Amino acid sequence: MKKVIFKGVGTALITPMRDDGSINYPVFKELIEMQIRGDADALIIAGTTGEGSTLTDKEHIELVEYAVRCVNKRIPVIAGAGSNNTSHAVYLSKECEHVGADALLHVTPYYNKASQQGLFLHFSECAKASQLPVILYNVPSRTGVNIFPATYKRLSEIDNIVAAKEASGNFSQMAKIASLCKDNLAIYSGNDDQITSALALGAKGVISVLSNILPRETHDICESYFQGNSEESDNLQLKYLELIEALFLDVNPIPVKQAMREMGYNVGHCRLPLCDMDSTMAEKMSAVLYRYGLLKNRERPGSVTIHRPGYAGAIPTRNL
């Protein structure tokens, strides 16, 4: 049985930007501390939600190194290291290991549309590049390619390929992966609206966008299930479903950054080619945030009552 990197919620952390597009490191530190206080079980840095594909290599590695220093071994830091160029993914893997990451997240090569054999060879090379545990990331809607269960089985036989973030949304496939790979491959849900369903198939947790806003509540969805209270886990999943849907009104991470700005967090905007939501979607987002009581001092009658973390609004709204 391979060692599990984390159980519960791994937050796919956003990368806050200044108005000039540079990384806002003081706010990034505040976000990290907010996540740790909020019971996040791991952090994923420079992944899809962290806009890793628009970071220069220098920024990418510095961002991971900064996160490693801030976290200081309190929870695992998982570095996004994926690329559609195998040699580039190998380079990022080595550099992220060098600056202290605890594990690597490798997405399927996008655009190239590799064959299953090509995927196997790509991930094999990435795994050989470092001693760190590797999480495979399957998200066909963004990359145009799907890892088949049989390919997962082959990859799970590599010692340091230990887990998969499954964001295909295909539960028949997830069940087949779990059946074929057993304890050789931990599964994490890659979709916030499917956490409890994935847990029921044996998943170890979720790599989450929702937890950028509500880390403790997302952690509790998983922890309730692990403690044997599946009904409470289901209830929490359903309670936050409308908010989860709002966080995917547009391409991730556009909506979560929009939501956090409205909540008072100085996270800035996405780098091009991602741009802000249009006014119609932004209004829908605002309405949902109102209903969940997440807009400070701007409640509406009949809003949904939820637990508000004590750190809400703690990040300064001024430029740092």
Side-chain angles (χ1 to χ4, degrees):
M1 181 176 180
K2 294 179 180 178
K3 184 179 178 180
V4 175
I5 299 169
F6 73 93
K7 283 186 69 176
V9 58
T11 299
L13 197 62
I14 65 169
T15 302
M17 305 289 185
R18 299 181 186 272
D19 290 343
D20 64 1
S22 62
I23 297 171
N24 194 328
Y25 280 102
V27 171
F28 188 56
K29 181 177 181 180
E30 292 286 350
L31 293 177
I32 289 171
E33 294 301 328
M34 162 187 157
Q35 289 294 320
I36 292 174
R37 288 195 299 271
D39 291 336
D41 300 288
L43 293 178
I44 292 80
I45 307 299
T48 303
T49 310
E51 300 178 72
S53 59
T54 65
L55 301 176
T56 66
D57 286 351
K58 183 174 184 290
E59 288 176 320
H60 192 129
I61 295 158
E62 287 179 351
L63 190 71
V64 172
E65 184 176 21
Y66 189 89
V68 167
R69 290 202 310 268
C70 289
V71 172
N72 194 25
K73 298 297 182 182
R74 287 175 287 176
I75 57 176
V77 173
I78 300 162
S83 175
N84 65 340
N85 175 345
T86 303
S87 64
H88 185 226
V90 164
Y91 167 77
L92 289 176
S93 299
K94 291 178 178 178
E95 292 299 314
C96 289
E97 180 179 32
H98 178 71
V99 298
D102 297 295
L104 304 172
L105 181 71
H106 274 288
V107 71
T108 48
Y110 38 88
Y111 184 75
N112 308 60
K113 299 192 75 171
S115 67
Q116 294 300 300
Q117 177 65 4
L119 292 177
F120 175 78
L121 294 173
H122 170 82
F123 288 127
S124 298
E125 289 299 311
C126 293
K128 285 193 296 185
S130 86
Q131 298 299 309
L132 294 180
V134 171
I135 303 174
L136 308 175
Y137 180 15
N138 189 39
V139 57
S141 64
R142 295 190 79 123
T143 66
V145 64
N146 179 48
I147 306 174
F148 292 172
T151 305
Y152 269 123
K153 175 66 166 62
R154 293 177 69 197
L155 288 166
S156 73
E157 294 166 0
I158 297 171
D159 287 345
N160 64 326
I161 293 181
V162 303
K165 176 185 177 183
E166 247 300 308
S168 67
N170 183 336
F171 282 107
S172 295
Q173 172 162 296
M174 189 180 290
K176 187 67 173 178
I177 295 163
S179 174
L180 287 174
C181 300
K182 299 182 173 60
D183 289 341
N184 268 340
L185 197 75
I187 296 173
Y188 298 105
S189 173
N191 297 312
D192 282 312
D193 60 345
Q194 299 177 341
I195 301 171
T196 54
S197 301
L199 295 174
L201 286 173
K204 302 300 183 185
V206 60
I207 294 178
S208 172
V209 176
L210 172 66
S211 57
N212 277 278
I213 295 173
L214 296 176
R216 182 168 291 115
E217 288 78 357
T218 315
H219 166 89
D220 287 348
I221 294 174
C222 298
E223 187 61 26
S224 296
Y225 187 90
F226 297 147
Q227 294 298 323
N229 193 345
S230 59
E231 183 177 0
E232 175 65 13
S233 180
D234 289 341
N235 288 340
L236 288 170
Q237 174 80 86
L238 295 174
K239 181 176 184 177
Y240 297 113
L241 186 59
E242 186 181 12
L243 179 58
I244 292 165
E245 290 173 343
L247 292 174
F248 292 90
L249 283 169
D250 204 335
V251 176
N252 178 49
I254 293 170
V256 68
K257 276 196 162 181
Q258 170 78 25
M260 294 187 78
R261 288 197 304 273
E262 292 199 37
M263 292 167 64
Y265 299 116
N266 186 24
V267 298
H269 300 265
C270 295
R271 287 182 175 178
L272 289 172
L274 299 184
C275 62
D276 288 350
M277 304 170 76
D278 66 34
S279 59
T280 300
M281 287 192 289
E283 287 170 7
K284 289 181 180 178
M285 172 65 76
S286 293
V288 173
L289 294 174
Y290 269 122
R291 286 196 286 276
Y292 279 85
L294 290 170
L295 297 187
K296 192 175 181 181
N297 300 323
R298 294 167 64 191
E299 304 290 343
R300 281 182 176 174
S303 63
V304 177
T305 300
I306 65 170
H307 169 70
R308 291 291 303 280
Y311 47 75
I315 298 174
T317 56
R318 67 184 186 279
N319 286 329
L320 297 173

